[in-house]
Amino acid sequence: LKPHPGLSISPREYHEQQRQTLRPSAFARLHLNEFVSSISSFVSKEQWAACYSDNIEGGGKMVMGLDASVRGDYTALVGCVRDAKSGDVHVTYVKTWKPQKGALQGGKPTIDLRDVVDEIKRLHEQGRVSAVVYDPFQLHLASLQLEAAGVNVVEMPQTNARVASDQALYDAIVAKRIKHYGDPHLDEAIHNAVAVESARGLRLSKSKTSKKIDAAVALSMAAYHVASVGIPTHWPEQVMKGSRRTPFDHPGAMPDRQVVNYGRRWRDF
């Protein structure tokens, strides 16, 4: 292990800090001079298990992440709130839909997105939804239906913005700034997920088509917006340019109240 010449702490302390904050593959590449793959497990089972809590704060309106598919994958809806005391993100709701054979699409296994829209409307009518952050793929019509019903919908581009949210989710899990109640569908998605690393950060992906990660993607979108507190009506310039700064990088991350400016327009909730 080679210390940096400008260190104000001992090399041992520095490398231990780096080991705790970097992904294992990045640590091996940067500090051990090892050739490693840019693809590795998103987080370890131990890291995810360390974020389990039986004291989840379920009050308040949820920011919901929605990742949809019609045939090949699942559709997942994940809701998060921010704990007023700790500032941690709490996962309070998880639901997935799997393709089912029926009258639609000639009997082929399909997800009827009307069921998803109905569930979100039900939660909205109960006053439990602050916003729905969604992947526009497969969801244009559904988003129009939700907006017509009065739901605050926020389109999340699946480009640099997803790199920012996926990196933020990883940072939050490692720092134990996110708490979950052990939902089996979300647990499976997190364990199935791999991280594809690039210069801009990491991106959630799956190692095999059969390994579903939709709930993990929905969590990434929801948690990012909960940590930001502001719900953008469009994406901030620094995210679109691929900045690796995340809401968790804010000094004194996640205070009791924070309004985030997203360029010319912002929405507080």
Side-chain angles (χ1 to χ4, degrees), residues 53-121:
S53 173
D54 57 3
N55 188 29
I56 294 294
E57 174 58 58
K61 291 186 176 183
M62 298 179 289
V63 173
M64 311 202 79
L66 176 59
D67 185 64
S69 177
V70 174
R71 291 185 183 175
D73 289 320
Y74 300 162
T75 289
L77 182 65
V78 176
C80 296
V81 300
R82 195 178 66 171
D83 181 66
K85 294 181 180 180
S86 67
D88 294 343
V89 172
H90 284 196
V91 181
T92 56
Y93 175 99
V94 180
K95 186 175 178 64
T96 59
W97 289 262
K98 301 179 181 180
Q100 303 289 335
K101 291 183 178 180
L104 300 177
Q105 300 293 318
K108 296 179 180 179
T110 304
I111 295 173
D112 188 346
L113 293 179
R114 293 176 297 184
D115 296 337
V116 181
V117 170
D118 288 344
E119 174 65 4
I120 296 173
K121 286 181 178 179

Side-chain angles (χ1 to χ4, degrees), residues 157-269:
Q158 299 296 288
T159 51
N160 290 339
R162 263 289 309 284
V163 173
S165 70
D166 291 352
Q167 180 69 53
L169 178 60
Y170 172 79
D171 293 341
I173 293 172
V174 171
K176 301 179 184 178
R177 298 301 306 273
I178 190 166
K179 305 298 182 185
H180 65 89
Y181 58 88
D183 179 87
H185 299 292
L186 182 57
D187 288 350
E188 181 181 13
I190 291 291
H191 296 156
N192 286 342
V194 298
V196 179
E197 297 184 65
S198 69
R200 293 182 309 216
L202 59 86
R203 175 75 182 262
L204 277 170
S205 187
K206 52 188 176 183
S207 58
K208 298 179 180 179
T209 303
S210 61
K211 300 291 187 179
K212 308 304 180 186
I213 65 167
D214 308 87
V217 173
L219 172 61
S220 174
M221 294 189 288
Y224 188 73
H225 286 277
V226 168
S228 299
V229 177
I231 292 295
T233 53
H234 70 286
W235 275 86
E237 183 180 359
Q238 65 268 27
V239 171
M240 297 307 292
K241 288 184 177 180
S243 169
R244 289 191 58 178
R245 285 189 62 80
T246 76
F248 298 95
D249 294 326
H250 188 280
M254 297 188 290
D256 287 342
R257 181 174 179 80
Q258 174 187 347
V259 177
V260 178
N261 193 333
Y262 288 86
R264 295 181 180 177
R265 295 182 293 170
W266 57 267
R267 184 173 299 162
D268 179 32
F269 71 97

Side-chain angles (χ1 to χ4, degrees), residues 13-33:
E13 291 175 310
Y14 169 71
H15 286 121
E16 184 57 33
Q17 289 180 3
Q18 290 285 283
R19 193 186 300 275
Q20 294 296 323
T21 56
L22 292 176
R23 297 179 54 75
S25 57
F27 181 84
R29 183 175 65 253
L30 294 174
H31 297 292
L32 302 180
N33 287 332

